[in-house]
Amino acid sequence: MMRRSARTRRRILKRGVTEFPALLHSRRPGIRFTAIISASLVSQPTGAYEPEVLADSIRDILRAAAAGAVRRLDPVDLPAAQDACARSLRRERNIDDVSGLAFTAEVRLTLAPEDEEAVRDLLAASRAQSIAEALGRQRSRALAADLAHPAGVYTWWLQNPEFDLKKVPQDTELKSVADKLQGYPMDREEPLEVQILEILREFLNSFSRDEQKLLLMKLLADGMRASSRPHQAAAIEALSEELTATPDHVSVTLSED
């Protein structure tokens, strides 16, 4: 072994573990993190040692630790990967030999230009897919809402370019289709208010007579007024007055014939 002073060996060791690179696989195939790692010695090695050999060992240990920290992380969220890698490397480690050396490390995680471009392409594809799925769900919900009423089913049938007026569906067939669509569970992605409104609409439609609907509207207006919502109550009452000019209708019960 070449005889070098302790100061020279420490300088060589420090230089060998300062700002060395590492390429780390991410959870996205083909996209890698680029890491710049710098080790800090917690304790100095004792006895005779080769600084280049120790530096090699430290780099191997830290590269393996960094790789394990980010292997399952998404390069789309680079800050999260940076934090996870930094947490792992700042933990104190030892080399299992007679040197007595302990060290921690800091890391700076980036993406190479080609990996950045791959992440941008990935995000663009993900956004396009999300938009397409959202539009598809929106169209499906709108169509289901239209067809949840017999008139909507009939309108849809008339729009069919191959419709035949000699084969007009019976009212029972139209109602059967509408009833099936009304029975499907609601999309939980809809806001709560929209879900409640849909339930109320189905509830009101379950009563065929205007008198029964008027009674329900009166109960709703009374509840709004009791909840200190006079403006909404007045709007319901105005709608009731438009529906009929004969208040005697509200004397009926809610039971169906």
Side-chain angles (χ1 to χ4, degrees):
M1 180 173 61
M2 183 185 305
R3 296 187 61 85
R4 291 174 287 194
S5 68
R7 181 177 180 182
T8 299
R9 284 182 294 169
R10 285 196 298 270
R11 186 169 62 248
I12 294 172
L13 177 58
K14 182 177 181 181
R15 186 169 61 243
V17 297
T18 299
E19 293 193 345
F20 61 91
L23 292 177
L24 313 172
H25 291 287
S26 72
R27 63 175 291 187
R28 302 286 185 175
I31 301 179
R32 296 185 298 181
F33 299 104
T34 298
I36 301 297
I37 304 172
S38 292
S40 298
L41 302 184
V42 176
S43 62
Q44 294 297 327
T46 59
Y49 66 91
E50 285 287 351
E52 294 87 355
V53 175
L54 283 184
D56 288 344
S57 298
I58 292 173
R59 289 195 300 268
D60 289 345
I61 292 171
L62 291 175
R63 282 182 176 130
V70 301
R71 183 169 49 244
R72 300 182 182 278
L73 298 183
D74 198 327
V76 170
D77 191 355
L78 185 59
Q82 167 68 47
D83 289 346
C85 195
R87 270 196 307 272
S88 175
L89 295 195
R90 65 172 170 255
R91 189 169 67 246
E92 185 174 318
R93 290 175 168 84
N94 298 87
I95 293 181
D96 188 18
D97 61 12
V98 296
S99 68
L101 182 64
F103 55 91
T104 62
E106 296 178 350
V107 62
R108 184 172 69 256
L109 217 57
T110 60
L111 294 172
E114 60 272 19
D115 292 314
E116 282 188 345
E117 184 177 357
V119 168
R120 284 194 295 269
D121 292 343
L122 185 66
L123 286 172
S126 179
R127 291 190 187 104
Q129 181 178 354
S130 296
I131 292 172
E133 290 175 352
L135 291 175
R137 287 194 299 269
Q138 189 178 45
R139 286 192 294 268
S140 297
R141 286 196 296 266
L143 180 60
D146 289 342
L147 299 184
H149 191 280
V153 180
Y154 187 52
T155 302
W156 175 83
W157 179 82
L158 290 175
Q159 292 173 345
N160 189 328
E162 299 179 358
F163 81 93
D164 186 353
L165 287 175
K166 296 180 181 180
K167 299 180 181 179
V168 177
Q170 299 296 317
D171 290 346
T172 54
E173 296 175 319
L174 298 174
K175 188 175 185 304
S176 175
V177 173
D179 289 346
K180 287 181 179 179
L181 286 172
Q182 287 181 8
Y184 283 138
M186 298 184 63
D187 189 345
R188 293 305 168 189
E189 292 185 0
E190 291 281 11
L192 178 61
E193 294 84 354
V194 175
Q195 297 181 44
I196 293 175
L197 287 173
E198 181 64 21
I199 294 171
L200 288 175
R201 186 188 69 81
E202 293 177 2
F203 179 63
L204 287 173
N205 283 340
S206 67
F207 297 95
S208 60
R209 298 166 57 187
D210 286 346
E211 299 95 320
Q212 295 168 320
K213 295 178 181 179
L214 283 169
L215 179 55
L216 290 172
M217 294 169 71
K218 182 179 184 302
L219 294 173
L220 181 59
D222 290 343
M224 290 176 172
R225 186 165 282 105
S227 300
S228 301
R229 301 294 187 273
H231 297 298
Q232 287 84 353
I236 292 293
E237 290 170 345
L239 188 60
S240 300
E241 292 175 0
E242 292 178 7
L243 183 62
T244 179
T246 54
D248 291 340
H249 288 166
V250 298
S251 62
V252 300
T253 65
L254 292 179
S255 60
E256 288 283 9
D257 294 338

